[in-house]
Amino acid sequence: QVRLVESGGGSVQVGGSLRLSCVASGITFSTSYMGWFRQAPGKEREFVAAITLSGINTYYGDFVEGRFTISKDNAKNTVYLQITSLKPEDTAVYYCATSLAYRPFKPTYWGQGTQVTVSI
C-alpha cells in the first residue's frame, strides 16, 4: 500500500520560510519520481516541482521565482520542498506525489496535503 505523508506546513508571516517534508512508504523510493503540487482556495491544483530518481535533476513550475527548492533523501524515503520569501499568494494546500514519468510529471499517488498559510 502506497502512502505519502506530508508535514511541515503552518502559519507564517510574509517573508518567512518553511520546509515541507513528505515521507513515502509502499514504493521503491529510489526509483520513483517525486513532485510537489499546491492548490489555493478556489483554484486548480498546480505543479510546483519535480525531482529525478537520483535527486540530481529538478524542474519547477512557471510561477516559481527561485524561492522553491525540491530535494530528496533516498535513505529516509523523504522528499522536501524548501520555500523562502513566502508571499500571501503562496497560501495553499501543498501535496506531494509520485510519478512513473519525470517530464511531464504525471502523478500516480497523492499525499493528504499540508496547509501553508502566509499572512501579512
Side-chain angles (χ1 to χ4, degrees):
Q1 180 182 358
V2 177
R3 190 170 184 223
L4 304 175
V5 180
E6 301 97 332
S7 63
S11 296
V12 296
Q13 291 188 325
V14 169
S17 300
L18 282 175
R19 188 176 78 156
L20 309 181
S21 301
C22 172
V23 179
S25 60
I27 60 172
T28 305
F29 190 77
S30 60
T31 59
S32 299
Y33 297 106
M34 300 298 297
W36 286 94
F37 289 72
R38 71 180 188 181
Q39 188 166 19
K43 295 187 177 181
E44 293 186 354
R45 193 169 297 189
E46 65 178 344
F47 170 77
V48 177
I51 191 165
T52 55
L53 310 180
S54 64
I56 293 176
N57 297 108
T58 61
Y59 75 102
Y60 297 88
D62 292 339
F63 70 90
V64 172
E65 304 163 326
R67 299 185 296 112
F68 294 71
T69 304
I70 188 172
S71 61
K72 66 183 310 201
D73 185 336
N74 286 340
K76 296 181 178 179
N77 281 14
T78 301
V79 61
Y80 304 98
L81 184 69
Q82 179 77 39
I83 316 173
T84 61
S85 302
L86 279 155
K87 304 177 179 181
E89 51 264 42
D90 294 322
T91 295
V93 178
Y94 285 73
Y95 299 90
C96 75
T98 66
S99 173
L100 297 177
Y102 175 56
R103 195 165 190 167
F105 191 92
K106 299 181 179 181
T108 51
Y109 295 99
W110 296 93
Q112 84 289 347
T114 185
Q115 176 72 47
V116 172
T117 303
V118 184
S119 59
I120 297 173

